[in-house]
């Protein structure tokens, strides 16, 4: 096999609703938030791990194309295994490389301003309750940390194209995974309205993909 090129898909992930991808806190203060989001260890800013983005696209593509296989698929021969990597035997290396997605410059400025004005540390705290069905009374309130709606992240996906690959098939398969993700959710608590995202201003090797173009938003690195 011979590696011919890397195909670069770039754009912006726009949060249509609050996004929660859980992280760990080194020390829990009394009265603090237990359910923290993942943050960069140095800047303390939220980000979307490439593993979260790739894993969700892979699982949705498996639901559509490999509904009768165990999850994750390890057949080693379907497009999911060929492109996203196989847990069993496979014919070739992983094609899809997904980078961690950092906040856009505009979102950094907006959230930094919110930090100065209200102390919101690049996130919002959402209170959730369990409701007693017979009384309608709220119980067990708990604070949930999540990235607020409207926040944007720059993303990049690098596709390895080998000499035996069909470039258009490879690109279209990844774009299909992105479109499926737009109809589903990213992160946790999607059944409660979290994690609705939209890919905006997507380019493939610098050329816009019309199906992902939007008037609002943009890649403002």
């Amino acid at each position: 096999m011979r590696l011919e090129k890397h195909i670069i898909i770039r754009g912006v992930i726009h949060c249509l609703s609050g996004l929660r991808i859980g992280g760990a806190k080194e020390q829990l203060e009394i009265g603090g938030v237990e359910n923290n989001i993942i943050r960069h260890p140095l800047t303390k800013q939220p980000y979307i791990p490439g593993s979260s983005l790739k894993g969700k696209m892979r699982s949705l593509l498996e639901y559509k194309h490999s509904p009768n296989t165990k999850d994750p698929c390890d057949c080693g021969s379907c497009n999911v295994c060929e492109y996203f990597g196989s847990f069993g035997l496979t014919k070739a290396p992983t094609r899809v490389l997904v980078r961690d997605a950092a906040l856009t410059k505009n979102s950094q400025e907006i959230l930094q301003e919110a930090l100065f004005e209200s102390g919101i540390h690049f996130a919002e705290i959402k209170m959730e309750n369990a409701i007693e069905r017979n009384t309608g009374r709220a119980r067990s309130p708990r604070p949930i940390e999540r990235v607020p709606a409207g926040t944007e992240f720059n993303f990049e996906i690098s596709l390895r194209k080998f000499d035996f690959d069909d470039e258009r098939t490879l690109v279209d398969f990844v774009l299909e995974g992105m479109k499926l993700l737009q109809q589903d959710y990213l992160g946790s608590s999607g059944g409660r309205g979290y994690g609705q995202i939209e890919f905006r201003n997507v380019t493939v090797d610098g050329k816009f993909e019309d199906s992902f173009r939007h008037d609002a938003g943009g890649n403002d690195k």
Side-chain angles (χ1 to χ4, degrees), residues 123-195:
E124 65 174 336
I125 305 299
K126 183 176 181 292
M127 297 300 296
E128 293 195 350
N129 302 286
I131 305 298
E132 294 181 356
R133 294 183 179 181
N134 57 340
T135 65
R137 184 171 56 190
R139 60 182 176 85
S140 304
R142 56 176 183 169
I144 304 293
E145 189 177 42
R146 66 180 193 173
V147 176
T151 304
E152 294 186 331
F153 299 84
N154 290 315
F155 79 91
E156 179 179 301
I157 301 174
S158 179
L159 307 181
R160 295 167 170 165
K161 198 272 183 191
F162 290 91
D163 51 2
F164 49 81
D165 288 325
D166 181 84
E167 181 171 338
R168 193 66 247 178
T169 300
L170 172 58
V171 171
D172 284 347
F173 196 70
V174 174
L175 295 179
E176 180 185 7
M178 293 166 58
K179 291 173 182 176
L180 289 172
L181 181 49
Q182 288 186 139
Q183 303 303 315
D184 208 90
Y185 68 92
L186 181 63
S188 65
S189 304
R192 302 201 300 272
Y194 291 40

